[in-house]
Amino acid sequence: MITLLQAHSVGLPAAVTLVVAAAGALAAVGLWWRVRGTPDGFVPRRVIASRGFLAAGIIGGTVFAGYYGVLFRAPSLIEQATGGGPLEAGVLLVPAAACSVLAGRLVGTLTDRFTGWQVSAGLAALTVIGVLVVAVSTGPVPIVLGTALTVCGFAGAQAVLVSLAPDLVAADDRDTAQGLLNFMNALGGGIGPAAVAGLSGIVPVPMALAVLAAFPLSGLVLSLTRRPTADRRPEPGTTRGSARRQSTRN
């Protein structure tokens, strides 16, 4: 998928693009067949089928796509706005990076008052706003501000969704679920920059970033459609949630 998104910008021949697309389709079918035929394999079907798990992975992936897409483009935009070089752009982005610390503290407070789905919706909304601010800005200050918003969304979503994962699966599957969730997040982080790079060769950069905002926007919509009662019930003989919460309930 990442190769296909960048095919135009890197001048990939049409024949090679078709081969890559076919290989990707075959890989997807092979994975589906493998999961279906081997329920307890590398990607356990019971984890993927848990209600809410795929939603959490998609939300995380879309937020990561927005963050990394902005991170890919923001330094060059700052260089164009200031006439400086990479070092100056990096220095200007330091305050945005520092926002990750504040995001972690804020998320810790919010999760005591709201559900994980509600907090993830707010973080996805922050990411959407941040991407759009960078898309329409020509000055360094608003670009840094928009990047800071995506940093908050990225850092917060990672913490919220990883902590939410254990409540979506049986206790024995917690480690597997967190690993798969991190993989889906990383996949989204790769798609974001690829989409921006690929579209930048076809449309102006602001338009490419505006399209990028559709990723976290879809995560926002998905977060808003989730309900705390939408999680599946644990199978007989299994427990769900973190060990700390289980001990609290007992």
Side-chain angles (χ1 to χ4, degrees):
M1 179 180 292
I2 294 175
T3 302
L4 293 177
L5 289 171
Q6 293 184 324
H8 182 274
S9 62
V10 300
L12 202 65
V16 177
T17 303
L18 290 176
V19 170
V20 172
L26 289 174
V29 172
L31 176 61
W32 174 80
W33 186 265
R34 173 70 178 176
V35 172
R36 182 182 180 185
T38 313
D40 297 324
F42 178 71
V43 181
R45 187 168 61 186
R46 63 182 180 275
V47 175
I48 298 297
S50 298
R51 293 191 64 182
F53 178 78
L54 280 180
I58 293 172
I59 293 167
T62 57
V63 171
F64 274 49
Y67 164 69
Y68 280 106
V70 166
L71 192 65
F72 167 76
R73 204 60 187 165
S76 61
L77 292 177
I78 292 176
E79 289 179 31
Q80 294 173 10
T82 62
L87 181 59
E88 181 179 349
V91 171
L92 290 176
L93 286 171
V94 168
C99 290
S100 61
V101 179
L102 299 177
R105 292 181 176 273
L106 180 60
V107 164
T109 302
L110 292 176
T111 50
D112 292 335
R113 301 183 180 182
F114 303 97
T115 67
W117 300 114
Q118 291 171 329
V119 176
S120 65
L123 295 168
L126 275 181
T127 306
V128 173
I129 295 171
V131 174
L132 293 177
V133 168
V134 174
V136 302
S137 300
T138 57
V141 174
I143 292 174
V144 172
L145 176 61
T147 303
L149 292 177
T150 65
V151 169
C152 292
F154 158 77
Q158 186 174 29
V160 171
L161 294 175
V162 169
S163 65
L164 182 64
D167 290 333
L168 303 177
V169 298
D172 291 342
D173 293 325
R174 288 180 300 181
D175 292 339
T176 301
Q178 289 180 332
L180 288 174
L181 185 63
N182 284 328
F183 173 77
M184 296 175 73
N185 290 343
L187 178 62
I191 292 174
V196 173
L199 290 173
S200 296
I202 304 174
V203 298
V205 172
M207 181 64 69
L209 289 172
V211 173
L212 176 69
F215 285 97
L217 179 60
S218 63
L220 168 60
V221 173
L222 187 56
S223 295
L224 293 175
T225 60
R226 303 306 304 175
R227 296 291 183 271
T229 56
D231 303 340
R232 72 168 180 85
R233 295 182 181 274
E235 299 174 358
T238 62
T239 56
R240 234 176 31 174
S242 62
R244 177 176 60 85
R245 292 183 182 179
Q246 291 297 330
S247 62
T248 302
R249 292 172 185 169
N250 294 335

